[in-house]
Amino acid sequence: MTARVIAIDGPAASGKSSTAAAVARELGASHLDSGALYRGLTLIALELGHDDPTEIRSAAERRGLILRHDGAEIVPFLDGRPAENLIRSDGVTAAVSRIAALAPLREWVNARLREAATAERILVLDGRDIGTAVFPDASLKVFLTATPEARARRRLAQRGEMFDSDSIRVEATALAARDASDASRTVAPLRRAPDAILIDTTNLSFKDQVDRIVAAARKALLA
Ligand code: CDP
């Protein structure tokens, strides 16, 4: 059996992961942030010092880059430990789009995601290509977006940093560069699935965006 999937895709810092986690809590479902696996592979690539997908994949297998439940969250472990802190570094963030464009690594991640789904009843998955490539038959597809400035503000606030108009501009430029790279790659580029609900969160409260998705998910799951 494979889970009923709620797919939440969208550009960087659009609030996918926190929204997906809250949606999963409301639905009594599990949540998996697919970007975390790409970040795990990127950490390995940076440690290896090259971008050879075969070697990165072997190192990921050898070092046990795996998904494990932490309550309702499904999170990556590396070397037997939670990888969360290691995969959020600036170095990983700067390199992840380049690594995520490598087709053999996308296949490896997709296999892990589909494997994880077999053990779930309802799985809320967020990423860039969940509704287009990984689970094209998802029960519900959402494309979450917001203006680059709103996304930059949120990312800086999330890091707990003080910010002004200059730092917002610098962050918005970095996010736009990552989006351009994710949207222009040949394999599974970032794009809205034709049947995805578009939600622009620029002027929505967190609660509003979660409520909208939960309502749509409840309806979809009944169908
Ligand atoms: O949280 P943030 O918006 O910074 O990004 P993320 O979800 O952690 O994803 C990091 C990177 O992984 C993205 O910029 C993409 O290059 C890649 N990714 C992807 O290609 N496909 C996915 N399904 C998820 C992430």
Side-chain angles (χ1 to χ4, degrees), residues 14-221:
S14 55
K16 298 178 302 292
S17 291
S18 46
T19 304
V23 167
R25 267 194 305 277
E26 289 287 320
L27 296 175
S30 299
H31 167 231
L32 203 175
D33 164 11
S34 63
L37 269 184
Y38 287 104
R39 286 174 175 274
L41 290 170
T42 304
L43 177 69
I44 290 172
L46 293 177
E47 288 175 7
L48 287 173
H50 60 69
D51 288 4
D52 177 342
T54 310
E55 293 212 13
I56 296 169
R57 212 164 46 181
S58 307
E61 302 275 352
R62 198 171 56 244
R63 293 178 56 184
L65 176 62
I66 53 165
L67 292 168
R68 276 199 197 156
H69 261 284
D70 176 8
E73 290 292 313
I74 303 176
V75 294
F77 271 59
L78 181 65
D79 300 322
R81 290 184 292 276
E84 185 58 27
N85 288 339
L86 301 171
I87 63 174
R88 304 284 160 193
S89 71
D90 290 345
V92 169
T93 300
V96 64
S97 276
R98 194 181 76 231
I99 298 301
L102 300 171
L105 296 183
R106 299 201 71 81
E107 279 165 29
W108 187 85
V109 167
N110 292 349
R112 304 289 82 74
L113 301 177
R114 293 183 184 124
E115 224 166 66
T118 60
E120 305 298 327
R121 195 172 58 86
I122 306 171
L123 180 62
V124 184
L125 250 173
D126 68 277
R128 302 292 187 287
D129 62 341
I130 305 302
T132 51
V134 191
F135 289 100
D137 296 330
S139 302
L140 177 71
K141 300 178 189 178
V142 175
F143 195 83
L144 215 57
T145 187
T147 61
E149 196 198 58
R151 294 190 279 123
R153 278 176 187 278
R154 286 180 199 159
R155 188 45 52 102
L156 291 168
Q158 192 182 36
R159 288 200 204 119
E161 290 169 14
M162 299 287 287
F163 54 86
D164 56 15
S165 55
D166 279 347
S167 45
I168 292 172
R169 208 172 316 118
V170 170
E171 186 64 26
T173 306
L175 291 175
R178 188 141 61 92
D179 293 344
S181 158
D182 289 343
S184 63
R185 67 177 173 230
T186 42
V187 196
L190 166 68
R191 66 177 174 82
R192 176 187 169 196
D195 51 348
I197 306 175
L198 175 67
I199 303 183
D200 184 335
T201 67
T202 308
N203 296 308
L204 283 184
S205 71
F206 183 72
K207 184 177 181 313
D208 283 344
Q209 73 203 40
V210 171
D211 287 352
R212 280 196 196 191
I213 299 173
V214 168
R218 290 212 164 107
K219 217 164 133 189
L221 291 168

